[in-house]
Amino acid sequence: MGHPAALTTSKYGVSKKEVLKACISRELLLMKRNSFVYAFRAFQLVVMASITMTLFLRTNMHRDSVADGGIYMGSLFFSIMMIMFNGLSELALTIWKLPVFFKQRDYFFYPAWAYALPSWILKIPISLVEVGAWVFLSYYVIGYDPNVGRLFKQYLLLLAVNQMASGLFRFIAALGRDLIVSNVFGSFALLVLIVLGGFVLSHDDVKKWWIWGYWISPLMYSQNALGTNEFLGESWKHILPGSTEPLGVSVLKSRGIFTEAKWYWIGFGALVGYIILFNFLFTVALTFLKPFKKSQPTISEETLKEKQANITGERTVTSSTANSSATFSASKSIGNRIGTGNVDIVAESKLNKKGMVLPFTPLLMTFDNIRYWVDIPQEMKMQGAQEGRLELLKGVSGSFRPGVLTALMGVSGAGKTTLMDVLAGRKTGGYIEGIITINGYPKKQETFARVSGYCEQNDIHSPHVTVYESLVYSAWLRLPIEVDSAKRKMFIDEVMGLVELSPLRGALVGLPGLNGLSTEQRKRLTIAVELVSNPAIIFMDEPTSGLDARAAAIVMRTVRNTVDTGRTVVCTIHQPSIDIFEAFDELFLMKRGGQDIYAGPLGRHSCHLIEYFEGFSGVSKIKAGYNPATWMLEVTAMVQEEMLGIDFSAAYKNSELFQRNKTLIEELSVPPPGSKDLHFPTQYSQPFVSQCLACLWKQHLSYWRNPSYTAVRFFFTLIIALLFGTIFWDLGGKTSQRQDLFNAMGSMYAAVLFIGVSNSSSVQPVVSVERTVFYRERAAGMYSGLSHAFGQVAIEIPYVLVQALIYGVIVYAMIGFEMTATKILWYLFFMFFTFLYFTYYGMMAVGFTPNYNIASIVSAAFYGLWNLFSGFIIPRPRMPIWWKWCFWACPVSWTLYGLVASQFGDVQDKLETGETASQFVINYFGFRHDFLGAVAVVVVGFAALFAFMFGFAIKVLNFQRRNKCIKKERGQTK
């Protein structure tokens, strides 16, 4: 028998107690690192509480009529809304942690309950603080019943609401497992809870087929409990003239709220039950649900054949390590090598010049004594660094020539990517000094962007277009206007053959690591996107990073083919294998601190490089079969410099090689006789109209192929329309009571707010992804920021129009508003422009913030304000004079003004109070029918304003962390 220790006797490595302690410790650490989110949530509540308590200020709050009680009821409803919405961030926080949880759960790190319990229990102290900030700030300032017991009962109930909402959103996150899906579920859940909570639609008007929804809505129990807690207090016990019951009871009855005091404890007990239920369901979902599987990346025909060949033993691809070489016979050879004095033929006997349909002028680049500084980062200042500037490049010089493949290498922190960014003009910050020439003329970034390409390491592309469409788009915007469509298509086909992307012509690009192209295929697409602009100089930032030996071989073959067309190609490269390293013609080597220590030819089997460094006394000889790239970095490390007493940078500056390079730089820095400097009549290849059409074309394809955004939005709208139609069935035509008008306005308020917020939230991740692509395309000089903004803004119009028609037609007919052409068109008009300005607002929020997460937080703050000042919770005539300007500045208030005034502003039916519906709308809400034209103009104006601000943000702001450069002109001294 085996040893007892060889067999496991428990499912988990430690006891349940230890598992729970570990999960608690981990959750506390995560909460500490997410402290900004919790601090911002509390701050947001304090700000909103300050606004709310001055809006519902006790000096303006009276207890003289049932209508006064309605204002108090509105303030209680808004309190519940704020506390519930504050728990919405739990959804995103939970989603972000799920991938790690699923992995650890499947490896039996811990059971689901041990993960779920700390997520719930440890958030309770945060709820205590957040709810306390709201209640203790606002309770007495608003003027609720002064009994201190009712103060703490309100605090206790809102605490239960907060915990219930957090549990609900955690459960929805675990159920959805995807941010977009969960956001839709979360919005839908909130909508149902609020509409059936008893405030938007009175209990007495809930249809019999929806009454079950009223009884299961946690918000109903919250509303009833808070209502009875307030309106059964001493402040509301006086009886008005002509009434037989206390004012508080009359207020409760008018809004369909129960009048027994026991409903406080029934409501509180129900909320506690929901807290336990939602957290239990959260645990169940974590226990049994599996993560969504990732889509398989596209596999090209070539790759498939290679894999089949590997299986049958025809070919073997061996992974390379630092000490062993990867074979380039994984597929075709790299191609002919073109050097400067050293020719190393690695493979095919024939040089096939590809991609030469369009002529180009070969360009050479020289750079002399390049220095680059940035301001001392704040983190370094905190560690004691002195004020001033940090020098990242210290007088580096060299040249890049046509048909020569140059490797830019160095240890981490050497400044190789910094140098490439400086030479390519991609730095957005810092201070540059030195001389850079193109064919002997001083480099001008405006013209240089038109003749150069830059392949970023991150392979950023629009995910919902195909490989061919990506190339068509790039060529359309970057090739000269003289190139006709037929020649452009021919050139694109040539480039696809050059980089071996023809088998992937119709494949969708997809998102990195999730779907679409594999990493190696994305690298080749990145190169192709730059090649179709027909550049003479191409910079590549680590083209083989993250690839295995076979994929790296394919990419380097593509790079080699590109060089063989006579272009100037420079690559930063990190830890290459022997074969990849020897595919380069020349090397530019840097050491930590931004200093050059070698610039010259490699030679066959890196003989020139090895000869140079072995010439230093004490440098160890390279072993047979050892990787020259690895050896080179080892012998030039700072530790070796200290041991040998050599400064390789100073030694290089004193070497014959450096003098030869300086002489070459001086020769190449003089323009050839009869040559002309680069000049283009316009900043961009295409006129503004063509830029707009190209951007719109790509956005059209992206939207059409993104059903998770477009189709889900339509489906969500359809479901809400049917939901509202059945909830508010036939209430639009009733105008005999004030509550009928409140119900009709409630349907408008809920639809505008929830569909609008859903539009705004769902568009933000889409715009955020496209903005990342935009930064690359703008840096390449493809188009102006306004063209991109136009495409993004214009493509939303048809989708929002369809959305407004889906909602408007269904709801208008089912609710039973007056069937006249004028009123139908007014309803559709306001719905369309409201959904549109919400969408544009979401886009604008992304434009003015660094990332999607901050945009969603900032947006949420404004949603709360728009909700508060919409005119539904508290009508404009009842607002204090110092807050009325917020009503006029709130887009939602104008929408509700237009919807209510167009439907009821001219209705002369008598209400139970004796006044007509149109008089009530004027007296209570302040909405006048004769002001409709102005309201329509303002609603259109909000859409135009948000669209314009988005375009302004895209054009002016740049959140890419490369800082704006200040370049010193040629010949200018420091």
Side-chain angles (χ1 to χ4, degrees):
M1 291 182 66
H3 192 277
L7 298 174
T8 180
T9 57
S10 63
K11 191 174 182 179
Y12 302 101
V14 293
S15 67
K16 292 179 181 179
K17 182 180 178 182
E18 291 300 316
V19 165
L20 185 60
K21 283 174 64 177
C23 288
I24 289 173
S25 177
R26 197 265 299 271
E27 187 64 27
L28 283 171
L29 182 63
L30 290 175
M31 287 171 63
K32 183 179 178 182
R33 290 179 178 168
N34 283 327
S35 57
F36 170 76
V37 174
Y38 300 112
F40 185 84
R41 276 186 2 187
F43 172 74
Q44 190 173 319
L45 271 181
V46 168
V47 171
M48 288 305 298
S50 303
I51 295 172
T52 305
M53 66 191 189
T54 52
L55 179 64
F56 295 96
L57 194 63
R58 60 186 302 146
T59 56
N60 281 40
M61 301 284 279
H62 309 293
R63 293 182 173 87
D64 302 329
S65 66
V66 173
D68 292 333
I71 305 299
Y72 277 94
M73 191 70 77
S75 69
L76 292 173
F77 172 73
F78 186 72
S79 297
I80 296 172
M81 290 271 285
M82 281 305 302
I83 298 300
M84 279 194 67
F85 271 107
N86 212 47
L88 190 58
S89 59
E90 279 298 316
L91 193 145
L93 290 172
T94 304
I95 288 283
W96 293 333
K97 293 188 289 185
L98 281 181
V100 174
F101 163 76
F102 283 127
K103 183 178 180 180
Q104 294 178 343
R105 179 199 68 180
D106 294 341
Y107 285 149
F108 298 106
F109 278 38
Y110 44 73
W113 65 264
Y115 175 86
L117 204 58
S119 299
W120 167 26
I121 301 298
L122 295 179
K123 304 293 171 59
I124 293 176
I126 294 174
S127 292
L128 290 169
V129 174
E130 290 178 348
V131 177
W134 179 273
V135 174
F136 297 126
L137 270 176
S138 66
Y139 190 90
Y140 285 111
V141 179
I142 289 176
Y144 292 125
D145 190 90
N147 185 295
V148 71
R150 296 190 184 276
L151 163 67
F152 282 101
K153 283 169 75 177
Q154 187 183 105
Y155 173 66
L156 184 64
L157 194 93
L158 289 178
L159 185 63
V161 170
N162 184 278
Q163 280 294 300
M164 178 275 298
S166 297
L168 173 64
F169 293 127
R170 278 196 293 270
F171 168 55
I172 289 173
L175 197 63
R177 289 159 287 165
D178 174 82
L179 195 56
I180 294 176
V181 175
S182 297
N183 270 330
V184 172
F185 276 138
S187 300
F188 186 73
L190 269 179
L191 181 64
V192 174
L193 291 183
I194 289 171
V195 171
L196 295 174
F199 182 80
V200 174
L201 180 66
S202 171
H203 165 259
D204 302 332
D205 295 306
V206 177
K207 300 300 179 183
K208 58 184 179 182
W209 52 81
W210 271 111
I211 198 67
W212 61 269
Y214 174 82
W215 287 109
I216 67 169
S217 170
L219 204 70
M220 181 276 284
Y221 294 99
S222 310
Q223 191 75 36
N224 276 278
L226 278 185
T228 53
N229 181 57
E230 171 61 25
F231 293 104
L232 295 182
E234 291 295 325
S235 303
W236 295 93
K237 286 200 172 172
H238 59 282
I239 300 174
L240 295 180
S243 176
T244 59
E245 58 189 6
L247 176 59
V249 174
S250 299
V251 172
L252 292 175
K253 285 183 177 179
S254 73
R255 303 309 295 242
I257 304 287
F258 298 104
T259 57
E260 296 93 344
K262 65 182 180 182
W263 271 94
Y264 175 85
W265 296 110
I266 292 173
F268 178 74
L271 288 173
V272 171
Y274 276 117
I275 293 170
I276 296 169
L277 174 65
F278 290 144
N279 283 288
F280 171 74
L281 292 175
F282 173 54
T283 308
V284 171
L286 291 179
T287 304
F288 296 106
L289 292 181
K290 295 180 180 179
F292 291 124
K293 291 184 178 179
K294 292 181 180 179
S295 302
Q296 292 298 316
T298 308
I299 298 178
S300 67
E301 295 171 13
E302 173 194 344
T303 307
L304 191 61
K305 288 176 182 176
E306 287 181 11
K307 288 193 173 186
Q308 290 170 344
N310 287 340
I311 293 172
T312 56
E314 293 176 14
R315 183 177 299 174
T316 309
V317 179
T318 319
S319 298
S320 76
T321 62
N323 298 328
S324 64
S325 68
T327 63
F328 259 63
S329 58
S331 34
K332 288 191 276 182
S333 71
I334 290 180
N336 283 18
R337 299 273 304 280
I338 299 179
T340 52
N342 64 303
V343 179
D344 181 9
I345 304 209
V346 184
E348 298 172 354
S349 57
K350 290 184 179 180
L351 175 62
N352 185 12
K353 293 261 182 182
K354 301 178 184 177
M356 298 293 286
V357 171
L358 295 178
F360 70 93
T361 304
L363 297 176
L364 54 87
M365 168 182 274
T366 67
F367 51 99
D368 190 19
N369 198 29
I370 297 297
R371 308 176 80 88
Y372 176 66
W373 299 266
V374 294
D375 293 324
I376 295 286
Q378 190 63 35
E379 293 81 1
M380 293 182 67
K381 290 180 181 178
M382 292 172 65
Q383 295 173 6
Q386 299 297 315
E387 294 285 338
R389 296 175 181 172
L390 181 65
E391 191 170 12
L392 301 182
L393 296 177
K394 299 177 181 176
V396 295
S397 305
S399 63
F400 303 137
R401 299 179 299 288
V404 178
L405 179 55
T406 305
L408 186 53
M409 292 187 65
V411 297
S412 296
K416 50 188 183 293
T417 301
T418 300
L419 175 60
M420 179 178 283
D421 283 346
V422 166
L423 297 179
R426 291 298 179 105
K427 276 293 175 195
T428 58
Y431 310 86
I432 298 174
E433 182 183 282
I435 300 171
I436 305 174
T437 68
I438 306 297
N439 273 9
Y441 294 95
K443 171 177 168 275
K444 299 173 184 174
Q445 186 57 35
E446 295 78 17
T447 55
F448 183 69
R450 296 276 291 272
V451 296
S452 64
Y454 190 102
C455 301
E456 296 186 1
Q457 183 180 346
N458 295 330
D459 304 316
I460 301 165
H461 303 283
S462 293
H464 300 290
V465 294
T466 65
V467 168
Y468 180 70
E469 289 162 355
S470 298
L471 300 184
V472 168
Y473 177 69
S474 181
W476 184 357
L477 286 167
R478 298 176 74 176
L479 289 177
I481 197 169
E482 298 80 24
V483 178
D484 59 39
S485 178
K487 188 174 287 188
R488 189 166 64 219
K489 289 180 180 177
M490 190 186 299
F491 183 60
I492 292 169
D493 290 335
E494 288 272 358
V495 170
M496 289 187 75
L498 180 75
V499 298
E500 303 172 48
L501 280 175
S502 298
L504 293 168
R505 183 186 186 93
L508 284 178
V509 175
L511 289 167
L514 293 177
N515 49 35
L517 302 182
S518 66
T519 306
E520 163 262 317
Q521 291 161 350
R522 295 178 72 87
K523 292 282 183 189
R524 285 189 281 150
L525 176 61
T526 300
I527 296 170
V529 162
E530 297 304 315
L531 275 178
V532 292
S533 68
N534 200 26
I537 301 177
I538 302 178
F539 299 93
M540 300 184 185
D541 190 7
E542 300 196 17
T544 61
S545 177
L547 303 180
D548 59 21
R550 180 199 62 79
I554 295 171
V555 170
M556 284 307 299
R557 184 172 67 231
T558 298
V559 175
R560 188 72 248 174
N561 288 342
T562 303
V563 176
D564 291 347
T565 61
R567 288 174 167 83
T568 304
V569 180
V570 184
C571 301
T572 60
I573 202 84
H574 184 65
Q575 292 182 333
S577 65
I578 295 176
D579 294 287
I580 288 178
F581 184 60
E582 295 193 348
F584 288 93
D585 303 314
E586 293 197 351
L587 171 69
F588 192 96
L589 181 62
M590 302 177 71
K591 76 170 190 176
R592 190 184 296 276
Q595 296 173 287
D596 46 349
I597 56 176
Y598 181 84
L602 281 174
R604 186 174 180 83
H605 301 308
S606 306
C607 60
H608 295 321
L609 171 71
I610 295 170
E611 180 184 353
Y612 175 81
F613 281 110
E614 285 187 345
F616 289 101
S617 175
V619 172
S620 59
K621 306 296 183 184
I622 188 171
K623 297 177 183 177
Y626 199 70
N627 188 340
T630 305
W631 172 80
M632 164 193 76
L633 294 175
E634 288 174 352
V635 300
T636 59
M638 294 183 71
V639 175
Q640 288 294 317
E641 282 190 326
E642 292 174 4
M643 288 175 59
L644 299 174
I646 299 174
D647 181 348
F648 283 109
S649 176
Y652 169 65
K653 292 291 196 297
N654 295 322
S655 69
E656 184 183 346
L657 176 63
F658 178 76
Q659 295 306 319
R660 288 205 306 267
N661 285 333
K662 291 291 284 186
T663 303
L664 180 62
I665 291 169
E666 290 174 5
E667 292 174 358
L668 299 178
S669 297
V670 178
S675 65
K676 293 182 179 180
D677 193 4
L678 290 171
H679 174 72
F680 298 98
T682 58
Q683 183 180 357
Y684 303 103
S685 297
Q686 298 295 322
F688 181 72
V689 173
S690 296
Q691 295 173 33
C692 291
L693 289 175
C695 290
L696 184 59
W697 174 75
K698 188 182 79 164
Q699 291 300 333
H700 162 64
L701 295 173
S702 296
Y703 272 54
W704 187 253
R705 297 199 186 110
N706 189 4
S708 66
Y709 172 55
T710 54
V712 167
R713 179 163 62 168
F714 290 152
F715 177 73
F716 181 66
T717 305
L718 177 64
I719 295 299
I720 288 183
L722 294 173
L723 183 77
F724 275 24
T726 52
I727 291 175
F728 296 96
W729 178 267
D730 205 27
L731 290 178
K734 295 181 179 179
T735 52
S736 59
Q737 296 182 2
R738 293 173 15 144
Q739 188 61 43
D740 294 332
L741 297 182
F742 286 135
N743 291 338
M745 188 177 178
S747 73
M748 300 167 180
Y749 159 80
V752 164
L753 209 60
F754 279 90
I755 298 182
V757 169
S758 175
N759 273 20
S760 183
S761 301
S762 59
V763 78
Q764 287 178 346
V766 175
V767 175
S768 185
V769 169
E770 286 297 333
R771 184 175 65 174
T772 307
V773 180
F774 160 73
Y775 283 145
R776 174 184 65 79
E777 293 173 346
R778 181 174 65 177
M782 291 174 69
Y783 50 68
S784 73
L786 291 179
S787 305
H788 172 81
F790 170 81
Q792 197 102 50
V793 165
I795 195 60
E796 283 290 346
I797 294 174
Y799 286 91
V800 172
L801 179 60
V802 172
Q803 184 185 20
L805 288 172
I806 290 172
Y807 179 83
V809 171
I810 293 174
V811 169
Y812 198 93
M814 293 180 73
I815 291 183
F817 291 121
E818 189 177 336
M819 283 293 179
T820 63
T822 304
K823 293 197 173 185
I824 293 172
L825 290 175
W826 272 124
Y827 191 85
L828 292 175
F829 172 86
F830 283 115
M831 281 300 174
F832 168 67
F833 279 103
T834 298
F835 295 163
L836 196 64
Y837 73 59
F838 263 106
T839 305
Y840 290 164
Y841 172 74
M843 294 163 61
M844 182 188 74
V846 173
F848 278 98
T849 51
N851 57 57
Y852 159 67
N853 296 325
I854 295 178
S856 60
I857 291 172
V858 171
S859 302
F862 279 93
Y863 300 150
L865 287 173
W866 289 1
N867 181 18
L868 184 60
F869 291 102
S870 65
F872 179 70
I873 292 172
I874 177 171
R876 175 173 55 86
R878 299 300 298 265
M879 292 181 184
I881 189 69
W882 55 84
W883 280 123
K884 284 188 178 179
W885 66 271
C886 283
F887 173 88
W888 298 115
C890 172
V892 179
S893 68
W894 287 92
T895 295
L896 290 182
Y897 194 135
L899 288 170
V900 173
S902 63
Q903 294 300 320
F904 303 109
D906 59 349
V907 175
Q908 299 304 316
D909 296 350
K910 293 278 187 180
L911 303 181
E912 81 275 16
T913 57
E915 59 187 338
T916 63
S918 60
Q919 288 172 337
F920 173 73
V921 166
I922 293 172
N923 296 335
Y924 188 82
F925 295 112
F927 296 163
R928 305 183 62 89
H929 188 266
D930 55 10
F931 199 54
L932 262 181
V935 174
V937 171
V938 172
V939 170
V940 173
F942 273 116
L945 173 66
F946 293 153
F948 171 78
M949 294 303 290
F950 169 66
F952 174 80
I954 285 293
K955 182 172 177 61
V956 174
L957 301 180
N958 187 351
F959 292 102
Q960 231 180 359
R961 298 308 298 267
R962 277 178 173 168
N963 311 319
K964 187 172 180 181
C965 282
I966 299 173
K967 183 175 178 181
K968 300 195 175 183
E969 298 298 330
R970 177 174 181 169
Q972 187 176 339
T973 57
K974 188 173 157 185

